[in-house]
Amino acid sequence: MTAAVEGTRPGRVEVHGVHKAFGTLEVLRGVDLVVEPGTVTVVLGPSGSGKSTLLRSINHLEKVDRGFVALDGELVGYHRKPHRGTERLHELPEKDLLRQRTRFGFVFQSFNLFPHLTALENVVEAPVSAQGRRRSEVEAEARELLGRVGLADRAGAYPRQLSGGQQQRVAIARALAMRPAVLLFDEPTSALDPELVGEVLGVIEDLARDGTTMVVVTHEIGFARRAADRVVFMDAGRVVEAGPPEQVLDHPTHERTRAFLAKVL
Ligand code: ADP
Ligand code: MG
């Protein structure tokens, strides 16, 4: 178990031709995206354009209708089985899916900490219960991670005793404790009071500098400028424009991107 955890690679995400509908509502209409290991991809786009669905599809919280997602060349959620001289896709058994999913860390808008556990216990919980690691070892690592997000002195605090910004930083430490290959952030600062946004973005920027592979859905354009290697603009279920931040943010070629940026800047 431990060996598998330690063997985690940096993580290359490939999203290929992904379609997803809810009933008749086509939410993703052919999304292609490659995230190289060690890079930060910021996803921008109006509300309802499919950003959350895309993130959720990446770690198979949503099952896509067409196309596929791969992590380091391995299909997410499926495995190939020989069938009459060709191959067929089979869904991964639950156990394998859960193990695969731990290679992604997910940080949500609403921090989702366990209210009855301290900051430290929140960070320790999953590596012990889901990865079967030794509590003593995980605890030492969790303290280090809390230090890394600037909360070394709040390890014993319960979520209700922490500000929103502190809670979100605990949530980030908790995601890191699983030693994921890729971190996915869905509007990590949208639920925060404005004065708390900076401390959370600062932590994410530190991770970016350390070469953590990340996909960040956010409306924080300044953050995108500072931290992103690539900015992806989504509209109506498609990637409309993608490139380095200076290109997409300062010289957008699509009318949709221009209209969106005019609103958020
Ligand atoms: P974004 O994150 O860009 O705001 P979402 O991916 O959350 O967009 O949603 C895209 C569209 O899909 C929205 O119209 C939303 O209402 C719809 N949607 C998302 N999840 C579901 C679901 N589980 N069932 C039905 N509709 C959904
Ligand atoms: Mg969303």
Side-chain angles (χ1 to χ4, degrees), residues 22 25 43 58 61 115 117 131 136 141 154 156 210 233 264:
F22 295 109
L25 180 68
V43 180
I58 288 177
L61 285 171
L117 298 182
Q131 291 178 321
S136 57
E141 193 172 318
R154 303 309 313 270
D210 291 346
F233 177 73
V264 296

Side-chain angles (χ1 to χ4, degrees), residues 188-201:
T189 60
S190 299
L192 298 175
D193 292 334
E195 73 272 20
L196 303 177
V197 168
E199 65 192 54
V200 172
L201 292 181

Side-chain angles (χ1 to χ4, degrees), residues 80-130:
R80 296 191 174 88
K81 259 195 186 168
H83 177 81
R84 294 184 186 166
T86 111
E87 284 183 328
R88 266 203 188 165
L89 291 188
H90 287 254
E91 274 194 66
L92 279 181
E94 186 72 10
K95 173 168 74 56
D96 295 338
L97 175 61
L98 290 177
R99 194 170 51 216
Q100 196 178 49
R101 210 176 261 151
T102 64
R103 302 205 56 218
F104 296 96
F106 212 121
V107 177
F108 302 89
Q109 180 176 331
S110 53
F111 336 115
N112 296 344
L113 297 177
F114 296 114
H116 60 289
L117 298 182
T118 64
L120 184 72
E121 288 163 352
N122 264 283
V123 178
V124 168
E125 163 60 27
V128 170
S129 67

Side-chain angles (χ1 to χ4, degrees), residues 11-230:
R12 180 178 193 273
V13 179
E14 187 186 354
V15 175
H16 188 85
V18 161
H19 287 250
K20 175 70 186 177
F22 295 109
T24 57
L25 180 68
E26 287 184 75
V27 174
L28 299 178
R29 303 191 297 163
V31 174
D32 296 304
L33 179 70
V34 174
V35 179
E36 297 294 347
T39 69
V40 179
T41 300
V42 166
V43 180
L44 302 176
S47 176
S49 57
K51 306 180 300 295
S52 294
T53 304
L54 173 62
L55 276 195
R56 293 169 54 80
S57 298
I58 288 177
N59 76 341
H60 205 68
L61 285 171
E62 298 289 353
K63 237 185 265 178
V64 307
D65 301 327
R66 259 200 285 159
F68 65 83
V69 175
L71 174 60
D72 292 324
E74 207 177 279
L75 284 178
V76 176
Y78 298 94
H79 63 114
R80 296 191 174 88
K81 259 195 186 168
H83 177 81
R84 294 184 186 166
T86 111
E87 284 183 328
R88 266 203 188 165
L89 291 188
H90 287 254
E91 274 194 66
L92 279 181
E94 186 72 10
K95 173 168 74 56
D96 295 338
L97 175 61
L98 290 177
R99 194 170 51 216
Q100 196 178 49
R101 210 176 261 151
T102 64
R103 302 205 56 218
F104 296 96
F106 212 121
V107 177
F108 302 89
Q109 180 176 331
S110 53
F111 336 115
N112 296 344
L113 297 177
F114 296 114
H116 60 289
L117 298 182
T118 64
L120 184 72
E121 288 163 352
N122 264 283
V123 178
V124 168
E125 163 60 27
V128 170
S129 67
Q131 291 178 321
R133 289 164 58 194
R134 283 225 323 274
R135 184 170 290 272
S136 57
E137 169 209 310
V138 175
E139 239 180 66
E141 193 172 318
R143 284 186 193 281
E144 241 173 74
L145 288 170
L146 285 174
R148 206 162 152 199
V149 300
L151 292 172
D153 55 341
R154 303 309 313 270
Y158 287 89
R160 65 173 182 282
Q161 300 170 316
L162 298 170
S163 71
Q166 291 172 329
Q167 289 184 54
Q168 189 61 305
R169 286 186 280 146
V170 174
I172 292 170
R174 181 178 58 174
L176 288 169
M178 299 289 279
R179 299 178 180 164
V182 182
L183 275 181
L184 309 172
F185 291 87
D186 196 357
E187 302 203 26
T189 60
S190 299
L192 298 175
D193 292 334
E195 73 272 20
L196 303 177
V197 168
E199 65 192 54
V200 172
L201 292 181
V203 164
I204 302 174
E205 284 174 51
D206 286 344
L207 296 177
R209 268 189 293 275
D210 291 346
T212 313
T213 311
M214 299 192 272
V215 182
V216 187
V217 173
T218 181
H219 296 297
E220 298 288 338
I221 302 297
F223 168 81
R225 241 180 241 293
R226 293 189 300 273
D229 296 289
R230 260 170 90 70

